[in-house]
């Protein structure tokens, strides 16, 4: 079962692999490979773009193993789940705020982790996207809002 799950995962069949990892996890909870299986289960859901399920799986992993060294990876992946769902600058930015929250938590709680440095880079990307969103909103309000000085011209960098 373990070998089959790994084989499916390595061949990019993430949905099937997640099913096999879950089955292994439920049938062999005390196996020495259980931590690897739990993380691979989370990863396979993430790679299958089942973001809600992946988020819940990573959160469960963190809850069950709060002292494990893989927790930094789990927090990073939680940020990446949100990051992957960031929409364009003219849409709701709640996923962007969630990504910043997870990356920020990772950096503050585990500053020496290798995932903290990667998370810092991603957090900066998120903040740049947030700044673009704020600029877009300001541009829209000035361009289409009730502007008293009609001679005011703004050139958008998005054109």
């Amino acid at each position: 079962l373990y070998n089959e799950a790994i084989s499916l995962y390595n061949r990019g069949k993430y949905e099937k692999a997640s099913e096999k990892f879950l089955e292994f996890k439920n049938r062999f909870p005390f196996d020495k490979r259980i931590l690897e299986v739990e993380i691979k289960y989370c990863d396979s859901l993430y790679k299958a773009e089942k973001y809600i399920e992946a988020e819940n799986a990573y959160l469960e992993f963190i809850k069950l193993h709060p002292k494990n060294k893989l927790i930094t990876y789990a927090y990073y992946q939680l940020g990446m789940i949100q990051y992957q769902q960031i929409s364009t600058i003219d849409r709701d930015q709640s996923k962007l705020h969630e990504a910043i929250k997870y990356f920020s938590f990772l950096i503050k709680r585990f500053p020496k982790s290798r995932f903290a440095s990667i998370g810092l880079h991603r957090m900066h990307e998120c903040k740049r996207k947030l700044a673009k969103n704020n600029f877009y909103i300001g541009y829209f309000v000035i361009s289409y809002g009730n502007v008293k000085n009609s001679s005011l011209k703004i050139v958008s960098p998005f054109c």
Side-chain angles (χ1 to χ4, degrees):
L1 191 57
Y2 172 82
N3 290 337
E4 185 180 358
I6 293 293
S7 175
L8 288 166
Y9 184 87
N10 290 338
R11 288 184 290 152
K13 308 234 185 249
Y14 302 118
E15 219 168 308
K16 292 269 188 206
S18 70
E19 293 169 10
K20 296 297 180 183
F21 284 126
L22 183 60
E23 185 179 346
F24 183 92
K25 184 177 152 186
N26 291 333
R27 287 180 57 192
F28 308 105
F30 302 109
D31 189 277
K32 64 182 177 180
R33 301 166 290 193
I34 196 66
L35 289 173
E36 177 192 355
V37 167
E38 287 179 0
I39 282 294
K40 286 287 190 189
Y41 169 67
C42 298
D43 289 346
S44 60
L45 290 171
Y46 172 76
K47 289 185 176 190
E49 297 180 1
K50 292 186 161 196
Y51 295 128
I52 294 171
E53 294 92 336
E55 182 175 9
N56 290 332
Y58 284 116
L59 288 170
E60 181 182 344
F61 180 86
I62 290 167
K63 184 176 153 188
L64 293 174
H65 311 287
K67 303 279 185 198
N68 190 281
K69 65 182 179 179
L70 290 172
I71 197 169
T72 58
Y73 174 73
Y75 275 114
Y76 174 76
Q77 286 298 95
L78 284 168
M80 287 305 297
I81 287 169
Q82 305 305 320
Y83 184 84
Q84 293 299 330
Q85 298 178 79
I86 294 172
S87 189
T88 58
I89 62 170
D90 60 334
R91 300 286 179 226
D92 176 36
Q93 299 297 304
S94 59
K95 295 296 182 184
L96 185 60
H97 290 284
E98 285 292 310
I100 290 170
K101 181 183 83 169
Y102 280 122
F103 291 136
S104 180
F105 181 81
L106 171 65
I107 293 161
K108 287 178 186 168
R109 183 144 181 236
F110 307 99
K112 296 192 187 292
S113 163
R114 70 183 176 120
F115 292 106
S117 62
I118 301 168
L120 181 64
H121 173 70
R122 290 289 188 194
M123 189 173 73
H124 287 308
E125 286 179 30
C126 290
K127 287 185 177 182
R128 278 191 289 278
K129 289 176 186 270
L130 189 58
K132 285 181 180 180
N133 172 259
N134 289 334
F135 182 86
Y136 177 82
I137 291 169
Y139 175 78
F140 181 84
V141 168
I142 289 173
S143 298
Y144 300 104
N146 190 7
V147 179
K148 292 183 181 175
N149 183 358
S150 61
S151 65
L152 180 61
K153 294 279 184 190
I154 296 179
V155 177
S156 171
F158 303 112
C159 295

